[in-house]
Amino acid sequence: QVQLVESGGGLVQPGGSLRLSCAASGNTIAAYVMAWYRQAPGKERESVAAISSGGRTANLDSVKGRFTISRDNAKNTVYLEMNSLKPEDAAIYSCNAKRPPDNDWGPGTQVTVSS
């Protein structure tokens, strides 16, 4: 199992940027698929971006060109760089580590996009 803690959320104006971090402990994440999910009030949780153990990435269509997921296995940390933020990006962002049978979640960090 992996314990995950997200940080970097906050209030940002439309068009602004944030960098989320997900620090892992308890196990190395090198062999895990890591992903960022988000859930806005009244909406289902959705996968925003994922990165394989080999570094391949996949992004939600609505964030392509704006969000970038990366990983630093030496620091046991995953990042989500978010640029050109829109009000519809506001949500609780959670980190996920998956390597069957493990499927671990962090508590999440709030991102608010408002002027």
Side-chain angles (χ1 to χ4, degrees):
Q1 272 193 330
V2 178
Q3 290 75 49
L4 305 170
V5 178
E6 302 92 340
S7 62
L11 172 64
V12 63
Q13 292 185 343
S17 298
L18 283 174
R19 188 193 197 202
L20 305 183
S21 298
C22 171
S25 61
N27 205 347
T28 177
I29 64 168
Y32 285 74
V33 175
M34 302 298 296
W36 286 96
Y37 286 74
R38 69 185 181 188
Q39 187 168 22
K43 295 187 177 181
E44 292 189 358
R45 184 169 61 192
E46 61 182 354
S47 175
V48 176
I51 185 166
S52 71
S53 58
R56 285 186 302 173
T57 63
N59 284 12
L60 183 68
D61 283 347
S62 62
V63 307
K64 284 181 179 177
R66 299 189 298 122
F67 291 11
T68 302
I69 187 171
S70 62
R71 64 193 300 158
D72 186 337
N73 291 335
K75 295 184 178 179
N76 233 26
T77 300
V78 176
Y79 305 97
L80 185 67
E81 186 76 33
M82 305 188 294
N83 299 311
S84 303
L85 282 160
K86 303 176 182 180
E88 53 263 41
D89 294 319
I92 295 175
Y93 283 71
S94 300
C95 183
N96 173 261
K98 189 173 296 181
R99 185 185 69 172
D102 291 353
N103 186 26
D104 301 312
W105 293 90
T109 184
Q110 178 73 51
V111 172
T112 303
V113 185
S114 175
S115 55

